[in-house]
């Protein structure tokens, strides 16, 4: 029997993403892969491994660490980098605060989410990265639905959504002036469902946070949040222990947890299929205003 | 739900053309809503916004208009991508604005589409914009066009209305040599023939829009004959274990490549044989269009990015002179005295404009004379490249017949081109 690649929508999305990975390697001098420890960035690493096999992936991993990450995320990150033999660069938001580049928000709902942008742009400049590969997907959020695969950023790291380069066929134009860079999104066309189905199909190892576990949590604005030491409780908020899992992983301050008993990938796929809220529904960073994502993206956010 | 069923799903990309007045947003909203692809928090957010704006009904257009400026001005500026799935297929919608000044967005959305939906208002029939949308779909060679004759509810669901518009559209299809066109009478507002069959139009014996999208055959649209493999990247691991490994990474443009195939490498013209086709840590026997694989050859030949591996007995055209249909994208008009970069497959070359042959009026389809090519113009030009390019006509091969032009001064993509 002839051995071929099985054909389905996941394989098509995979081929497209691998094509983009190879374009990045061919068109840029110092690309980095933005690694957050979440499923989308783990998927990017997997696709990069496939694109360049048997060679190592030609990108370093860059993690912008808010200092408010789940311990599991950091551990998973370090192990993965070691396993694939990739360079790991960590940009620290704490350092940006210490250096006075940014000012920490105050109050109970303080988050370092917005501060990450400065740390990210400073780090990209420091390591002279000319392309940053991100796991952004167009189905996630309405501003992201307008994003290109190859998204141009000016010398200040800014995105100009009204003046984007047209992208046609398989022809990607990564030309730029010195000091400018590109954000590149190989999994633009994937949905949350595609991501989980693919992870299941490929049996990709995932952090334990995605599977059900017992955790100390409290409820705020209808969302369950992890009761980590730096989370300040408001009056009336109570810490309880629940069976939860993460649907997305960001930093602790803005990651909503869902009550779930899913302990394997099949169950997660079924859960995602039945979900009636988008995955970013639990992300308080998006809820600050209707254009919260667009505004952050224009400034240079992920 | 069967957790393995998704392994048999296929992917269909389609573009939608039409303006807000044609009910395009309502149609997309209907497809997303009736296929349960809108989430509660999304619906909540747009309900909230609609209320704030004082709209009586939930404005489904807010789902696709993602940018602040779009919401403020109530218009769509840029292509928006939307996703939904049924148990049979995953769909990617490139929702393109219908305004005259946004031809470039329509061209962009059309470039990767398997199918185009063109909305026609049953009250108005074929308008200038229908001619424009149809022209672009035919220029970009979208294999299937589906005309949705919308707002049938406002015309009493009358068969005659549908038949008259259909007749006009058929004439149009003939004129533009469109191979597959279909015509569905719908009411996006009430859902007739979108997802569910209409009970108001029993005279219509065809399928609903969703059923058509789910079942239309697209596998045969691919060019499976002309073997074209543009080399994207050369994989040479710097590890002892893989010391002799030399793989040519790329995505099959067209044709089928099998282990043992005799191939020719362009531009060097060296010939060799395919030793292996790698897909990650698997060796496969055959690769088909759009698959990203790595090819290894029997002989050691100097090959780099921009070269093309082709079937030895069926090479593409090789030339420095050819003509292309272009759609101009930039505010600065085409400058015939300037040199542009032409990007074609994984190759990039300098080119000069030899002549501007004509401009096409996309409403009358007439050829007009004139040297000045402005934003959103469609024109035919002749170019000369600095080195030979290997290509096919766009008509026969979307992947090796398409190019973009780049302005070296600004790095902007200034035009899309289809080789004649």
């Amino acid at each position: 029997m002839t051995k071929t690649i099985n054909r389905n929508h996941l394989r098509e999305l995979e081929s497209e993403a691998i094509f983009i990975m190879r374009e990045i390697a061919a068109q840029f001098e110092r690309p980095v892969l933005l690694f957050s420890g979440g499923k989308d960035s783990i998927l990017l690493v997997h696709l990069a491994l496939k694109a360049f096999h048997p060679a190592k992936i030609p990108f370093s991993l860059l993690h912008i660490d808010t200092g408010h990450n789940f311990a599991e995320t950091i551990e998973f990150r370090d192990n993965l980098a070691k396993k694939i033999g990739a360079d790991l660069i960590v940009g620290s938001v704490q350092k940006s605060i210490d250096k006075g580049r940014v000012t920490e928000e105050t109050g109970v709902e303080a988050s370092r989410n917005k501060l990450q942008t400065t740390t990210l742009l400073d780090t990209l400049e420091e390591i002279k990265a000319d392309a940053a590969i991100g796991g952004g997907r167009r189905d996630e959020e309405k501003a992201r639905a307008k994003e290109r695969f190859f998204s141009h950023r000016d010398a200040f790291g800014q995105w100009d959504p009204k003046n984007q380069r047209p992208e046609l066929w398989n022809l990607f134009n990564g030309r730029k002036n010195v000091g400018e860079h590109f954000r590149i999104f190989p999994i633009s066309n994937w949905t949350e469902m595609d991501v989980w189905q693919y992870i299941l199909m490929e049996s990709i190892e995932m952090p334990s946070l995605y599977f059900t576990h017992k955790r100390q949590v409290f409820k705020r604005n209808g969302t369950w949040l992890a009761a980590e030491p730096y989370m300040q409780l408001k009056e009336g908020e109570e810490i309880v222990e629940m069976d939860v899992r993460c649907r997305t992983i960001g930093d602790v301050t803005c990651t909503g947890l869902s009550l779930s008993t899913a302990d394997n990938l099949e169950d997660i796929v079924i859960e995602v299929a039945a979900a009636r809220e988008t995955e970013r529904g639990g992300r308080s960073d998006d809820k600050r205003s209707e254009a919260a994502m667009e505004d952050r993206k224009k400034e240079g956010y992920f | 739900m069967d957790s393995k069923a998704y392994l048999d799903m296929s992917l269909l990309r389609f573009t939608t053309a039409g303006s807000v007045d044609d009910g395009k947003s309502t149609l997309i909203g209907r497809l997303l809503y009736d296929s349960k692809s809108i989430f509660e928090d999304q619906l909540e957010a747009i309900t909230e916004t609609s209320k704030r704006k004082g709209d009586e009904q939930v404005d489904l257009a807010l789902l696709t208009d993602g940018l602040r400026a779009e919401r403020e001005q109530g218009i769509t500026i840029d292509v928006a991508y939307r996703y939904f799935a049924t148990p049979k297929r995953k769909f990617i919608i490139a929702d393109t604005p219908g305004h005259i000044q946004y031809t470039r967005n329509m061209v962009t959305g059309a470039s990767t589409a398997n199918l185009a939906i063109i909305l026609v208002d049953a009250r108005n029939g074929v308008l200038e914009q229908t001619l424009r949308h149809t022209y672009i779909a035919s220029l970009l060679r979208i294999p299937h066009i589906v005309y949705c004759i919308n707002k049938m509810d406002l015309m009493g669901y009358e068969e005659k209305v549908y038949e008259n518009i259909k007749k006009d559209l058929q004439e149009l299809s003939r004129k533009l040599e469109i191979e597959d066109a279909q015509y569905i009478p719908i009411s996006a507002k009430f859902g007739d023939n979108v997802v569910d069959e209409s009970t108001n139009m029993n005279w219509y014996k065809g399928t609903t829009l969703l059923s058509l999208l789910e079942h239309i055959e697209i596998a045969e649209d691919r060019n499976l004959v002309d073997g074209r493999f543009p080399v994207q990247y050369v994989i040479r691991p710097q590890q002892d274990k893989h010391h002799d490994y030399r793989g040519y990474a790329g995505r099959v443009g067209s044709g089928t490549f099998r282990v043992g195939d005799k191939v020719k490498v362009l531009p060097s013209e060296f010939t060799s044989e395919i030793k292996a086709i790698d897909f990650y840590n698997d060796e496969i026997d055959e690769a088909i269009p759009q698959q990203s694989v790595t090819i290894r050859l029997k002989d050691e030949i100097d090959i780099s990015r921009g070269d093309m591996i082709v079937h030895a007995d069926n090479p593409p055209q090789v030339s420095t002179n050819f003509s292309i249909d272009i759609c101009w994208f930039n505010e600065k008009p085409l400058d015939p005295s300037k040199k542009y970069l032409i990007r074609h497959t994984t190759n990039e070359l300098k080119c000069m404009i030899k002549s501007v042959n004509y401009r096409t009026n996309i409403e009358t389809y007439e050829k007009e004379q004139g040297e000045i090519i402005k934003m959103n113009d469609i024109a035919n030009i002749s170019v000369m490249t600095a080195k030979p390019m290997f290509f096919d006509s766009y008509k026969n091969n979307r992947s090796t017949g398409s190019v973009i032009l780049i302005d070296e001064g600004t790095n902007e993509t200034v035009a899309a081109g289809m080789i004649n």
Side-chain angles (χ1 to χ4, degrees), chain A residues 138-202:
Chain A
R138 288 169 180 160
D139 84 315
E140 271 182 281
E141 204 282 330
K142 52 192 180 301
R144 286 196 165 155
K146 302 279 168 168
E147 189 57 275
R148 300 290 190 263
F149 277 93
F150 273 44
S151 183
H152 180 257
R153 300 300 145 107
D154 66 16
F156 298 92
Q158 297 180 112
W159 181 51
D160 182 1
K162 281 206 272 184
N163 193 23
Q164 302 196 75
R165 290 182 189 173
E167 244 168 32
L168 299 105
W169 300 292
N170 274 336
L171 301 169
F172 296 96
N173 172 5
R175 299 183 69 91
K176 57 178 176 359
N177 292 320
V178 179
E180 299 173 346
H181 75 277
F182 272 81
R183 296 292 172 84
I184 302 175
F185 304 100
I187 56 167
S188 286
N189 280 332
W190 298 50
T191 61
E192 183 192 19
M193 192 57 166
D194 298 327
V195 171
W196 282 115
Q197 287 176 339
Y198 183 81
I199 289 168
L200 174 61
M201 183 174 82
E202 296 279 288

Side-chain angles (χ1 to χ4, degrees), chain B residues 112 128 136 155 180 192 240 287 375:
Chain B
T112 50
E128 281 166 5
I136 290 170
M155 298 303 285
D180 178 32
D192 295 87
D240 287 344
M375 185 143 88

Side-chain angles (χ1 to χ4, degrees), chain B residues 265-281:
Chain B
V265 180
L266 296 172
S268 68
E269 304 255 355
F270 284 122
T271 54
S272 184
E273 198 180 305
I274 295 181
K275 185 164 87 180
I277 303 174
D278 294 331
F279 180 63
Y280 194 33
N281 44 22

Side-chain angles (χ1 to χ4, degrees), chain A residues 3 9 14-16 19 22-23 27 146 167 169 173 175 189 194 276 278 290 294-295, chain B residues 9 13 38 40-41 49 68 70 83 90 108 111 232 282 285 292 294 305 343 348 411 413:
Chain A
K3 194 170 172 189
H9 66 300
E14 176 191 55
S15 264
E16 178 178 82
F19 178 82
R22 290 166 170 172
E23 278 305 289
Q27 293 197 34
K146 302 279 168 168
E167 244 168 32
W169 300 292
N173 172 5
R175 299 183 69 91
N189 280 332
D194 298 327
R276 296 306 302 142
T278 58
E290 194 176 16
E294 181 180 343
D295 294 343
Chain B
M9 277 167 68
R13 298 171 198 253
I38 296 178
E40 276 168 13
D41 52 328
T49 309
R68 188 195 289 273
E70 292 178 321
Y83 304 84
K90 172 193 164 88
T108 302
S111 73
Q232 204 187 350
D282 236 359
D285 299 323
S292 287
T294 305
R305 174 176 166 87
R343 186 180 279 261
E348 198 173 81
N411 294 325
T413 301

Side-chain angles (χ1 to χ4, degrees), chain B residues 222-255:
Chain B
R222 291 167 304 175
N223 177 335
L224 292 164
V225 179
D226 308 311
R228 308 282 184 258
F229 187 82
V231 175
Q232 204 187 350
Y233 190 79
V234 181
I235 297 179
R236 298 214 60 184
Q238 308 294 317
Q239 297 138 285
D240 287 344
K241 192 167 68 166
H242 304 290
H243 188 73
D244 295 324
Y245 189 95
R246 187 195 283 239
Y248 306 105
R251 201 173 183 192
V252 177
S254 61

Side-chain angles (χ1 to χ4, degrees), chain B residues 313-332:
Chain B
D313 56 359
N314 174 10
Q317 296 181 57
V318 180
S319 175
T320 53
N321 282 281
F322 47 92
S323 63
I324 47 182
D325 291 313
I326 56 164
C327 174
W328 194 256
F329 288 158
N330 208 259
E331 276 162 17
K332 267 189 266 169

